Amino acid sequence: MYKALIEDIFSDPEEAEETTFPATDKDLLILTEKFLGFEIPSKVFLQAIAIADYDGAAAFRYVDNYLTTLKNKNKRKHKKLLVLGASTKYDNN
């Protein structure tokens, strides 16, 4: 046991393999709930499920990155609309 502990401390982190686990049913439910309230293409949803089949953590990263991009895109659209709506140069007189 002592020898194994020393090997773990001095092992090269680049040589260590990262273990991936498929998503559980509960994880899939959480992924699905994250998409609620957003209009997303079915292709994106199916891609998230396919990723989750072999790596649950990667699926969550995929969903979070997609939703962050979608939210940022929507913020930019809303800012443009607010600027156009705030113009009082032309009145209906």
Side-chain angles (χ1 to χ4, degrees):
M1 182 170 161
Y2 183 74
K3 185 176 180 181
L5 180 62
I6 291 174
E7 288 176 0
D8 288 342
I9 292 172
F10 293 107
S11 67
D12 188 8
E14 291 180 8
E15 293 178 10
E17 286 187 28
E18 191 173 315
T19 305
T20 60
F21 298 101
T24 63
D25 289 342
K26 185 177 179 179
D27 293 336
L28 292 174
L29 181 62
I30 294 169
L31 279 175
T32 304
E33 288 174 347
K34 282 182 165 256
F35 280 129
L36 292 177
F38 297 97
E39 290 184 31
I40 60 162
S42 58
K43 183 171 102 173
V44 172
F45 177 73
L46 294 174
Q47 182 67 32
I49 299 302
I51 294 169
D53 190 35
Y54 63 90
D55 189 352
F60 276 95
R61 287 191 302 271
Y62 175 78
V63 170
D64 290 339
N65 288 337
Y66 182 84
L67 292 178
T68 299
T69 303
L70 187 64
K71 288 175 187 177
N72 288 339
K73 192 181 291 186
N74 286 340
K75 283 182 183 178
R76 281 183 254 146
K77 284 182 183 178
H78 289 302
K79 286 181 182 178
K80 289 179 184 176
L81 291 174
L82 290 175
V83 171
L84 292 174
S87 176
T88 58
K89 186 176 181 179
Y90 302 104
D91 289 332
N92 291 335
N93 289 337

